[in-house]
Amino acid sequence: MINKTKKQKASILVVTMMILGIVLVTALSISVVSIQERKASMGSNKSNQAYQVADTGIEKVMQLIKDNPFDNTIKNIDTDGTCDGIFNSTVGYTVQLKDTADENITTCAVSVSAIASIKSIGTNSGQQRAIEAAVAASGGYTKVCKLSTADSLNTDTMLVPSTWKIDNCKTQATNKSDYLGYYVGCLTYSGIDFGEVGIINGVTATAPSPNDCGW
């Protein structure tokens, strides 16, 4: 009888240890998954922030181009005198000016009209994202669709076909769950002009004024 009781106690102890082991392994697994998800989320946030920095660089340099006559030189834009790109160490972007051969423009005497595209590289907490945007030729206009989150912290600006209507930009925002607002605009060599913001389930975006690209 005593031996039987001892065996029962031993069996209970073994089962208890097994259950505790399973609980411990499960807890550790959940902890590891949670840590991995948190790291992935942090990495995604840093990447998104780097994208926003790059997007800021695009808009700032487009404004610089807009503020300078087409016959001005690169030196009027790249004010540090090096003409090897536009840097903003405070915000964290570097913008390269490119010609029609996709080569970096590094000569101060080159006219603004030689800029065919710009490439902005944004850096945030070790993460880098790059955005490129075409600069329309003198007198030309290109349609632009810009998507925005509710807090406007994340945006996505894209050049779109001339056949697009405002509803196409709205559809683009609708298809991406993170975005609630959208803008339509016109890009020329002198910059981007946007109309009023549209909300997916609310007001419709308005075309810029003047509506040179035909929204």
Side-chain angles (χ1 to χ4, degrees):
M1 183 68 178
I2 294 175
N3 288 338
K4 185 176 181 181
T5 302
K6 286 183 177 180
K7 288 181 179 179
Q8 287 177 339
K9 288 182 178 180
S11 298
I12 293 172
L13 180 61
V14 170
V15 171
T16 301
M17 293 298 292
M18 289 177 63
I19 292 173
L20 288 174
I22 292 171
V23 170
L24 179 60
V25 170
T26 302
L28 288 173
S29 299
I30 293 173
S31 178
V32 169
V33 170
S34 177
I35 291 171
Q36 289 176 339
E37 288 180 346
R38 184 176 179 183
K39 286 183 177 179
S41 177
M42 290 175 64
S44 178
N45 287 338
K46 290 178 181 178
S47 179
N48 287 337
Q49 289 169 1
Y51 182 92
Q52 295 311 308
V53 171
D55 188 55
T56 298
I58 289 286
E59 294 192 3
K60 293 294 185 183
V61 174
M62 282 295 189
Q63 188 63 46
L64 283 174
I65 295 173
K66 180 178 181 179
D67 292 341
N68 280 271
F70 213 54
D71 57 354
N72 270 5
T73 63
I74 299 301
K75 189 174 182 179
N76 294 98
I77 297 175
D78 194 348
T79 54
D80 65 0
T82 61
C83 300
D84 58 352
I86 298 166
F87 307 92
N88 188 314
S89 58
T90 302
V91 180
Y93 62 74
T94 299
V95 178
Q96 300 166 349
L97 309 176
K98 294 179 174 290
D99 58 22
T100 53
D102 201 34
E103 297 291 337
N104 290 343
I105 298 174
T106 57
T107 304
C108 291
V110 172
S111 70
V112 173
S113 61
I115 303 173
S117 64
I118 58 178
K119 179 179 180 179
S120 178
I121 302 170
T123 303
N124 180 273
S125 300
Q127 294 281 341
Q128 283 193 336
R129 293 286 297 275
I131 305 174
E132 290 197 49
V135 177
S138 177
Y141 299 92
T142 302
K143 288 183 175 180
V144 179
C145 172
K146 179 178 179 179
L147 313 181
S148 175
T149 54
D151 54 13
S152 298
L153 293 178
N154 292 316
T155 59
D156 188 359
T157 304
M158 64 195 79
L159 303 179
V160 298
S162 60
T163 54
W164 270 39
K165 304 297 182 184
I166 292 177
D167 281 347
N168 295 117
C169 186
K170 179 179 180 180
T171 299
Q172 193 75 9
T174 303
N175 291 339
K176 296 187 176 183
S177 59
D178 293 338
Y179 297 104
L180 296 177
Y182 63 100
Y183 302 79
V184 296
C186 296
L187 166 69
T188 74
Y189 74 90
S190 60
I192 305 176
D193 293 320
F194 288 106
E196 295 297 323
V197 64
I199 307 299
I200 291 176
N201 295 317
V203 297
T204 300
T206 61
S209 180
N211 184 15
D212 293 312
C213 56
W215 279 104

